[in-house]
């Protein structure tokens, strides 16, 4: 795969259910980022991974949100007890290295709808 | 606190016209200013970027103008085409994480929906 892939592309869930969103970064990219895109808040940073470690989780909106990365590759964003305000497009991006001048490549996103 | 402010929210331009989108930032630690283009159903894609030691950068029909003293930067799209119709985001990088390194977190503007009429 040439680019960042995310699955599922769409997820509809009921309020209170848990959801898992998956990101497959570009092979060899050590830095991985999750962002959320919503009508009211625009594009906002959630969490950053360097390898399997998350030095910055400051953008996670609440303790219902968590993420992990394994093998320096795949990352999963988990939302527990989903709420309607969690409805958004969740975007994953990766870059070869962290830092300002390294381009981030975005996946197509997962559109989450909480009913 | 919104660290990057973008205007206008929407813009309609005729084919062949010039599209101009403006952004202003507050954090002087930012050291890289990319613009992203997003089509419906796709993730944002890097369009063009500039460092603050340069006042202008041009790539084809796309130009960034940067004013460090005013903490403002803008995107100019010359000879706008219907295929340019998309949402454009300005962004900034350079916030420093633990250990004194910039890890590349993007702070985005609110986005501009550009429509180019044929």
């Amino acid at each position: 795969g040439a680019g960042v892939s995310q699955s599922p592309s769409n997820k509809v869930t009921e309020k209170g259910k848990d959801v898992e969103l998956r990101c497959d970064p570009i092979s060899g990219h050590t830095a991985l980022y999750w962002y959320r895109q919503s009508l009211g808040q625009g594009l906002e940073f959630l969490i950053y991974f360097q390898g399997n470690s998350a030095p910055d989780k400051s953008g996670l909106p609440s303790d219902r949100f968590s993420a992990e990365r394994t093998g320096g590759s795949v990352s999963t964003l988990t939302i527990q007890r989903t709420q309607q305000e969690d409805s958004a497009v969740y975007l994953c991006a990766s870059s070869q290295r962290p830092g300002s001048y390294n381009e981030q490549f975005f996946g197509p996103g997962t559109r989450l709808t909480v009913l | 606190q919104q660290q990057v402010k973008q205007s206008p929210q929407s813009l309609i331009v005729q084919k062949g016209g010039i599209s101009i989108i403006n952004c202003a930032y507050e954090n002087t630690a930012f050291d890289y200013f990319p613009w992203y283009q997003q089509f419906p159903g796709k993730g944002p894609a890097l369009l063009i970027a500039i460092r603050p030691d340069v006042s202008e950068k041009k790539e084809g029909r796309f130009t960034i103008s940067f004013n460090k003293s005013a903490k403002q930067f803008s995107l100019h799209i010359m000879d706008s085409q219907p295929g340019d119709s998309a949402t454009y985001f300005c962004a900034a990088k350079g916030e420093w994480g633990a250990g004194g390194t910039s890890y590349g977190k993007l702070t985005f503007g609110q986005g501009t929906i550009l429509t180019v009429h044929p």
Side-chain angles (χ1 to χ4, degrees):
Chain A
V4 177
S5 59
Q6 293 185 245
S7 60
S9 55
N10 281 283
K11 176 71 176 179
V12 180
T13 191
E14 294 180 348
K15 177 181 173 181
K17 300 284 189 182
D18 298 352
V19 296
E20 285 189 352
L21 312 180
R22 177 186 168 108
C23 171
D24 284 86
I26 294 172
S27 178
H29 281 195
T30 63
L32 186 147
Y33 309 81
W34 283 96
Y35 297 88
R36 181 169 71 171
Q37 185 170 22
S38 56
L39 281 176
Q41 302 297 322
L43 264 163
E44 53 182 349
F45 166 82
L46 296 178
I47 187 170
Y48 154 68
F49 284 93
Q50 175 56 31
N52 294 334
S53 300
D56 190 344
K57 307 177 184 180
S58 64
L60 295 179
S62 74
D63 58 8
R64 296 186 295 104
F65 288 72
S66 64
E68 66 174 8
R69 188 179 185 194
T70 56
S73 181
V74 172
S75 177
T76 303
L77 178 68
T78 301
I79 309 172
Q80 296 179 309
R81 305 181 302 282
T82 52
Q83 303 294 311
Q84 288 184 332
E85 61 262 29
D86 300 334
S87 296
V89 176
Y90 291 82
L91 292 160
C92 175
S94 71
S95 66
Q96 193 168 25
R97 287 180 296 276
S100 291
Y101 309 132
N102 292 285
E103 181 178 354
Q104 289 182 29
F105 295 85
F106 282 82
T110 293
R111 180 175 296 277
L112 175 66
T113 303
V114 182
L115 301 177
Chain B
Q1 180 186 13
Q2 187 179 355
Q3 293 203 58
V4 180
K5 296 182 180 180
Q6 182 173 346
S7 63
Q9 286 187 317
S10 61
L11 181 61
I12 299 175
V13 175
Q14 294 296 316
K15 178 182 176 181
I18 302 172
S19 304
I20 302 174
I21 305 170
N22 300 298
C23 284
Y25 65 97
E26 298 172 6
N27 190 342
T28 55
F30 290 142
D31 62 358
Y32 195 61
F33 300 88
W35 283 88
Y36 285 84
Q37 181 187 55
Q38 185 178 30
F39 293 104
K42 306 290 186 182
L46 179 66
L47 187 62
I48 186 172
I50 196 168
R51 301 188 187 194
D53 55 347
V54 176
S55 61
E56 185 176 282
K57 182 173 182 180
K58 183 176 180 179
E59 290 184 0
R61 295 184 294 110
F62 301 92
T63 300
I64 301 178
S65 297
F66 188 86
N67 185 330
K68 187 174 181 178
S69 61
K71 293 189 286 187
Q72 295 176 347
F73 58 111
S74 60
L75 176 70
H76 295 233
I77 305 174
M78 310 300 289
D79 187 26
S80 299
Q81 300 296 313
D84 297 331
S85 297
T87 300
Y88 292 80
F89 293 93
C90 62
K93 282 187 181 182
E95 289 188 77
W96 293 78
T101 59
S102 169
Y103 51 81
K105 165 188 169 183
L106 283 161
T107 300
F108 286 92
Q110 290 297 95
T112 297
I113 301 172
L114 172 65
T115 303
V116 181
H117 285 156

